[in-house]
Amino acid sequence: MPARPPGSGEQEEPNAPTTKLSAPVGAETARIDGPPDAASTVKIPTPRAAESPDGKGASPEETTPAEPAGKGRKGGKGKRPKGPFSFLKELPALIVIAFVLALLIKSFLVQAFFIPSESMLPTLKPGDRVLVNKVVKHLHPPRRFDVIVFQNPHPGRQPDRGVISSFFHWITEGLGVSTPENEDFIKRVIGLPGDTVEERANGDIYVNGRRLVEPYLNGPKDVRPQGLGPWHVPKGDLFVLGDNRTNSNDSRFGLGYIPLDKVVGKAFVIIWPPSRFGGIAGGGHFASGG
């Protein structure tokens, strides 16, 4: 005997007709309570949402008619096209970013230097501007025959500045607005730490008893007796000379040895004037046979 639904009081008649109402798929189902012998399930259809191309039902908002382009729902106007001078609003921010990038590049990567004197003739002339690589000194120490820029090894007294004043001076100096208290120098590396350098009476330079061949020189040799040496380069220092040997304030006269921590970087290219654009002459080596 078939089981009776819970709550029914009487048994259904075997031959009682059953009425079924069909409804669309997805219709909600409601149960109509009535006498036990008339209980049945009726499906109540619900409105079907418009189907989208992907088979999913669309919301009422998606079935609303499209509004004219350029107008909002309330008839408002859309965004106006940018005018030809709209970029001026972004110009201050772009200028600040450009200054910051220039400061970072000048402080840590590459910096331009002006040549004021004749001490590096004929390699560098007064008025030349060179680029100095500041990264290379962190990769390896300066090498013999490199042309380097370095800070004054005997700086004068520095002015007393607070933290804020020092920070702003660093910024203005990096941007070229103010000048450093002590000038920088540019010379050629001849002696490395531990070397013995001497200048013979005929003007030739010897390092550790071996004569240097210096093709970048074409001026007269320096035969002044006070510049003969020898000089024993201490550990952590460099011995530098100007290419204009008869007119150069270098390690022989005045500057002395150059501490490695005073090196700014290696000069590698002349960028001004355009007629002199190109790499900086080098090519020095030891003479064969001493």
Side-chain angles (χ1 to χ4, degrees), residues 124-145:
L124 300 174
K125 297 181 179 180
D128 286 351
R129 285 172 172 79
V130 299
L131 287 184
V132 173
N133 185 337
K134 293 186 172 184
V135 178
V136 67
K137 70 175 184 179
H138 301 293
L139 303 178
H140 58 76
R143 296 167 177 169
R144 199 183 320 275
F145 307 119

Side-chain angles (χ1 to χ4, degrees), residues 179-210:
T179 57
E181 286 81 10
N182 295 285
E183 62 180 335
D184 296 323
F185 294 86
I186 184 166
K187 305 292 178 184
R188 191 180 297 272
V189 176
I190 298 298
L192 302 176
D195 284 346
T196 297
V197 181
E198 59 179 321
E199 186 174 29
R200 300 284 174 90
N202 62 355
D204 289 339
I205 301 296
Y206 283 72
V207 177
N208 301 327
R210 301 178 62 187

Side-chain angles (χ1 to χ4, degrees), residues 224-237:
R224 291 174 292 177
Q226 62 269 33
L228 295 180
W231 299 273
H232 303 287
V233 186
K235 182 179 180 180
D237 289 344

Side-chain angles (χ1 to χ4, degrees), residues 38-53:
S40 61
T41 301
V42 180
K43 295 186 179 292
I44 302 175
T46 58
R48 298 183 64 185
E51 294 185 357
S52 59

Side-chain angles (χ1 to χ4, degrees), residues 152-159 181-183 262:
N152 190 339
H154 310 292
R157 178 181 174 84
Q158 301 291 324
E181 286 81 10
N182 295 285
E183 62 180 335
K262 293 290 185 180

Side-chain angles (χ1 to χ4, degrees), residues 67-133:
E67 296 178 355
K71 293 186 178 181
R73 293 184 178 179
K74 296 183 180 180
K77 295 182 179 180
K79 291 184 178 180
R80 296 181 179 178
K82 293 184 178 181
F85 301 103
S86 59
F87 74 94
L88 293 176
K89 296 180 180 179
E90 303 174 358
L91 188 58
L94 295 176
I95 292 175
V96 171
I97 293 174
F99 272 117
V100 171
L101 290 176
L103 182 62
L104 292 176
I105 291 173
K106 184 177 180 180
S107 299
F108 303 106
L109 299 179
V110 177
Q111 183 175 353
F113 283 85
F114 172 79
I115 306 302
S117 70
E118 299 179 348
S119 68
M120 284 296 291
L121 286 172
T123 305
L124 300 174
K125 297 181 179 180
D128 286 351
R129 285 172 172 79
V130 299
L131 287 184
V132 173
N133 185 337

